[in-house]
């Protein structure tokens, strides 16, 4: 039995952000398992099994992948961005933690990828150039008061903040609650950027400020970046302004 | 004049973590500019100029790269990991901000890469699976009290913490100051991981806990990850334990 489970980061949308390691692993896998749009991004190969499933069944998907690896198959679980950042890697290890003892002897490897946050930052300039944090606004698995506490400490600690999952069908206005909370701690001119569908045809970037930020600009494919005191905007005449966070304390 | 400046992430050490985009851009560049060990990681090509310099001259290097792009050259500034995370992208935009107005019309693109933090997390399991922050302990450009304030808020906000630049010749014991501060806010059993030289031959990983963490384990090539309340360790008999951060609030 020489099964193995690879948890592969596809990067955000554009195949040019795939690493060599991820490419080789996808080419050699027997089973490709993941959320439907991510599986669709992997070119089909003869002899490869493809198991696409809904976004809400992460643990089921992880268990299926582990069971197949335990049967000796070479399985690739695919994730958009980096599987280690708000994605499938934690779900797989959670399944191992609660699963049969034999799963702990499996060969499981996480293959990092470019995260949505990094791709968004690259398009803007260098907003994550100094101390930053990443917070998921999804309250599927944690209550709002935990999220609110993290937002408060992030603001008080003067971190650049990257917000994942700022909106969903179940809670489209959650981002407005976050903006309202942050306005109590941060100046109105604090930089806010919306990066939507980075690397896709409908990519859209909006630069604004906290006192003018409107939550109706976000959807499930939007990453929101909120600046710190060291975040600067470089005015440009012929193109979108650049944004960076100075490495110097202010 | 069709000059351009690409700020290219090489990923951490191993060329298998390079993206397709980064590879193509390095192949097509006329000038490769960067800190000496990063330039050394780019295979030499006939006709390409290579300018390697010391780590402490980031702004000089950025200005040189911008001046060359302004002269019409295709320039690649190379960074280990992701250039947007504690690396050259912020230095380049800082140089633009303080430089000639004409530099604002240049074609400057940031090419994201896998960061040291992500590669370290991938080796450990999925410690960055939920809300996390990244803090540089370097006090070259910011005073210790700013760093201390961020560490306190990171601990109080229950973030997983990735520490960059935990040690240097000038301040080898800075990490011990950070551990002492964090022990005042976090339980002794809090997970601490040291990830040294990830992707290189001398790669070394140490798993420990906050009350047993010793700063003499770190050097300039070490990334330190400190767990949150949701961080779990999966005991294994035949290999190093896995570590992940649960997506559920605790």
């Amino acid at each position: 039995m020489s099964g193995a489970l690879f948890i592969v980061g596809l990067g955000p949308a554009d195949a040019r952000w795939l690493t060599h390691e991820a490419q080789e692993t996808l080419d050699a896998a027997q089973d490709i398992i993941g959320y439907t749009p991510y599986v669709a991004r992997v070119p089909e190969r003869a002899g490869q099994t493809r198991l696409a499933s809904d976004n809400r069944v992460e643990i089921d998907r992880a268990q299926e992948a582990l069971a197949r690896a335990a049967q000796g198959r070479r399985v690739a679980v695919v994730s958009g961005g980096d599987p280690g950042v708000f994605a499938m890697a934690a779900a797989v290890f959670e399944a191992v933690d609660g699963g049969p003892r034999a799963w702990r002897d499996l060969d499981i490897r996480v293959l990092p990828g470019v995260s949505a946050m990094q791709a968004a930052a690259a398009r803007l300039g260098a907003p994550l150039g100094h101390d930053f944090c990443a917070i998921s606004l999804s309250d599927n698995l944690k209550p709002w008061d935990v999220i609110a506490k993290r937002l408060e400490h992030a603001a008080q600690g003067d971190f650049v903040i990257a917000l994942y999952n700022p909106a969903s069908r179940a809670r489209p206005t959650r981002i407005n609650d976050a903006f309202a909370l942050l306005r109590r701690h941060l100046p109105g001119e604090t930089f806010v950027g919306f990066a939507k569908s980075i690397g896709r045809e409908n990519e859209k970037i909006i630069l604004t400020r906290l006192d003018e930020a409107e939550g109706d600009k976000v959807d499930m494919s939007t990453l929101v970046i909120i600046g710190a005191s060291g975040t600067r905007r470089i005015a440009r005449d012929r193109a979108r302004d650049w944004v960076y966070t100075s490495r110097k304390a202010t």
Side-chain angles (χ1 to χ4, degrees), chain A residues 1-5 30-31 47 49 68-75:
Chain A
M1 188 178 87
S2 60
L5 199 168
Q30 295 176 295
D31 302 329
T49 305
R68 284 174 174 256
Q71 287 159 16
R73 295 186 68 82
R74 292 179 71 79
V75 181

Side-chain angles (χ1 to χ4, degrees), chain A residues 197-242:
Chain A
S197 302
I198 296 298
R200 295 188 212 133
E201 279 186 17
N202 58 336
E203 174 174 318
K204 188 172 182 186
I205 289 169
I206 297 172
L207 309 183
T208 182
R209 37 186 283 169
L210 185 57
D211 55 6
E212 294 174 0
E214 289 171 19
D216 60 0
K217 297 284 192 300
V218 314
D219 62 16
M220 280 183 280
S221 69
T222 306
L223 196 287
V224 181
I225 295 184
I226 295 151
S229 65
T231 304
R232 311 256 175 276
R233 190 161 160 166
I234 305 176
R236 302 173 75 202
D237 298 326
R238 302 181 200 175
R240 190 176 61 234
D241 291 357
W242 282 312

Side-chain angles (χ1 to χ4, degrees), chain A residues 129-157:
Chain A
H130 208 64
D131 303 337
F132 66 91
C133 64
I135 300 175
S136 168
L137 288 191
S138 169
D139 53 7
N140 289 344
L141 294 165
K142 66 183 168 183
W144 169 249
D145 64 350
V146 170
I147 301 172
K149 185 181 79 167
R150 293 217 173 111
L151 288 169
E152 278 169 14
H153 283 293
Q156 289 168 7

Side-chain angles (χ1 to χ4, degrees), chain A residues 58-225:
Chain A
E58 289 184 334
I59 289 292
D60 297 348
R61 187 189 300 144
Q63 289 168 339
E64 173 72 29
L66 286 158
R68 284 174 174 256
Q71 287 159 16
R73 295 186 68 82
R74 292 179 71 79
V75 181
V77 169
V78 293
S79 242
D82 184 333
V85 174
F86 304 119
M88 278 306 294
V92 168
F93 288 108
E94 202 175 297
V96 171
D97 207 6
R101 188 87 195 176
W103 283 358
R104 299 187 182 207
D105 293 328
L106 287 173
D107 182 7
I108 304 179
R109 297 186 204 180
V110 180
L111 279 51
V114 171
S115 68
M117 172 174 71
Q118 292 166 288
R123 288 288 203 258
L124 292 169
L128 304 181
H130 208 64
D131 303 337
F132 66 91
C133 64
I135 300 175
S136 168
L137 288 191
S138 169
D139 53 7
N140 289 344
L141 294 165
K142 66 183 168 183
W144 169 249
D145 64 350
V146 170
I147 301 172
K149 185 181 79 167
R150 293 217 173 111
L151 288 169
E152 278 169 14
H153 283 293
Q156 289 168 7
D158 193 23
F159 287 92
V160 177
I161 304 171
L163 294 179
Y164 276 76
N165 307 313
S168 72
R169 260 161 292 186
R171 49 195 161 73
T173 62
R174 193 45 110 194
I175 183 70
N176 284 330
D177 300 335
F179 285 146
L181 184 153
L182 292 171
R183 285 187 193 110
R184 294 202 296 272
H185 298 279
L186 299 172
E189 67 266 26
T190 298
F191 169 76
V192 173
F194 297 105
K196 183 175 145 67
S197 302
I198 296 298
R200 295 188 212 133
E201 279 186 17
N202 58 336
E203 174 174 318
K204 188 172 182 186
I205 289 169
I206 297 172
L207 309 183
T208 182
R209 37 186 283 169
L210 185 57
D211 55 6
E212 294 174 0
E214 289 171 19
D216 60 0
K217 297 284 192 300
V218 314
D219 62 16
M220 280 183 280
S221 69
T222 306
L223 196 287
V224 181
I225 295 184

